[in-house]
Amino acid sequence: MSRKITHCILKKMKKKGEKIAAITSYNYLSTRLIDDVGIDFILVGDSLGMVELGYENTLPVTMEEVIHHLKAVTRAKPNAFVVGDMPFMSYQASVGDAIRNAGRLVKEGGAEGVKLEGGMRNADAIKGIVRASIPVVGHLGLTPQSLLQFGGYKIQGKDSFSVKRLLKDAKCLEDAGCCSIVIEGVPWEVAKEITEAVSIPTIGIGAGIYCDGQILVIQDMLGIYEKPLPRFVKMYDQIGERIKKAVAGYIKEVKDGTFPELKHSYSVEKKEKGKGRNESSRNAP
Ligand code: KIV
């Protein structure tokens, strides 16, 4: 039987040099599958806006949408540590908002921790959430909710000023009580420096090999998402193509009458034959 992963276990993994495997998930079935093979950390990310809901970016995602997907994930009762993402404008306006909304992700969605983007500017919000006994995951670097401010999805930490600020932010997140930090879209050298500077685990995405763990969006790594992918994504399969092939095969067989075959059909019991009984239920024995 697999152990239940908590943020404390993730910290111990960093200490032991054991890498953390994280992935996003947004529904019950995927969660069952990825948990079965031993994923450590599941993020119900606001990336759900793009990969599940068809938005252009993460900005329109609401608390209700995150909670809806979080509930589906936590219904699968995964052993992995489950983190709910705080959507844009659920924590920026006030510390009170941040605490109340983090509380909703735990109370209504079943999250075991929450993630929010940004460094020292969120220190008070993070301290407030931690005071409410909710584990917080920070998120630094190419933070997608700052898309408008960055003027696009741009790699961060490319000059010495920005590197210094990232390091300061990372220390500040640790001091504010974060249990781990996602580092996205920064040079590997910078992610390495941050990882060595803090005692909490760093989970990288587009941040090189020296982070304490890695995270990918599940649709990206399975090859389901159809838009161009950043270079940091490794596609472990081409499931999108396989889905298309399977469904095209089904369409063809329905159209040419080769599906269903007799073995996919029910028949009237021999002794009933000729009595005119009809059976149509999907669950009929
Ligand atoms: O929303 C998300 O999926 C994320 C990960 C990419 C880290 O924030």
Side-chain angles (χ1 to χ4, degrees):
M1 183 137 137
S2 307
R3 62 183 177 171
K4 175 67 195 160
I5 311 270
T6 62
H7 68 95
C8 311
I9 290 182
L10 297 179
K11 204 165 171 193
K12 281 188 194 149
M13 287 170 76
K14 172 173 178 131
K15 258 197 168 156
K16 286 195 271 177
E18 192 184 331
K19 292 277 187 182
I20 297 164
I23 204 164
T24 66
S25 188
Y26 316 96
N27 63 52
Y28 173 84
L29 199 53
S30 300
T31 304
R32 292 297 295 247
L33 295 174
I34 61 177
D35 203 60
D36 241 23
V37 291
I39 200 79
D40 299 311
F41 179 130
I42 292 173
L43 172 68
V44 182
D46 61 356
S47 50
L48 71 86
M50 290 137 94
V51 296
E52 294 284 339
L53 304 176
Y55 297 147
E56 276 298 307
N57 52 53
T58 59
L59 302 183
V61 175
T62 65
M63 279 295 295
E64 275 60 37
E65 286 164 342
V66 174
I67 289 171
H68 174 79
H69 286 271
L70 192 48
K71 277 178 163 173
V73 165
T74 54
R75 252 176 238 132
K77 300 197 181 349
N79 285 313
F81 179 53
V82 179
V83 173
D85 222 352
M86 299 201 60
F88 183 55
M89 278 302 139
S90 67
Y91 58 94
Q92 287 90 343
S94 72
V95 172
D97 272 4
I99 299 172
R100 265 187 296 278
N101 285 321
R104 286 191 68 195
L105 295 185
V106 172
K107 254 178 114 88
E108 299 174 41
E112 294 153 357
V114 301
K115 176 173 84 57
L116 51 88
E117 297 182 6
M120 58 184 79
R121 65 174 191 254
N122 291 325
D124 288 341
I126 293 166
K127 284 180 193 163
I129 299 170
V130 172
R131 253 197 322 271
S133 305
I134 299 171
V136 180
V137 176
H139 187 163
L140 293 176
L142 197 179
T143 44
Q145 290 176 18
S146 303
L147 170 70
L148 302 176
Q149 188 186 31
F150 291 156
Y153 294 110
K154 294 181 182 159
I155 298 301
Q156 302 294 302
K158 285 179 103 171
D159 57 70
S160 59
F161 175 77
S162 150
V163 173
K164 265 191 207 138
R165 210 192 48 220
L166 279 170
L167 272 163
K168 243 177 151 177
D169 276 338
K171 289 299 284 176
C172 186
L173 291 184
E174 179 175 27
D175 292 344
C178 280
C179 63
S180 57
I181 306 174
V182 169
I183 306 177
E184 178 165 359
V186 305
W188 64 264
E189 297 91 335
V190 179
K192 180 172 187 278
E193 215 174 320
I194 295 174
T195 300
E196 289 167 357
V198 295
S199 66
I200 52 177
T202 59
I203 314 289
I205 173 161
I209 198 166
Y210 293 101
C211 294
D212 299 305
Q214 298 292 327
I215 184 163
L216 285 175
V217 169
I218 189 165
Q219 282 87 347
D220 293 351
M221 57 87 70
L222 291 180
I224 304 178
Y225 195 52
E226 56 196 358
K227 299 206 174 142
L229 294 175
R231 69 183 256 187
F232 61 74
V233 174
K234 178 170 175 183
M235 252 195 237
Y236 285 81
D237 208 326
Q238 301 265 5
I239 288 184
E241 286 311 311
R242 288 167 53 187
I243 290 174
K244 281 192 200 171
K245 195 167 162 226
V247 177
Y250 165 70
I251 294 170
K252 179 184 168 297
E253 292 194 357
V254 170
K255 302 273 181 191
D256 67 18
T258 51
F259 175 80
E261 296 168 47
L262 205 51
K263 67 182 177 195
H264 306 118
S265 311
Y266 303 105
S267 66
V268 176
E269 282 172 33
K270 267 195 189 121
K271 62 178 169 46
E272 294 293 316
K273 278 228 161 99
K275 288 191 190 165
R277 198 179 67 133
N278 223 345
E279 184 220 286
S280 60
S281 162
R282 185 166 194 263
N283 296 319

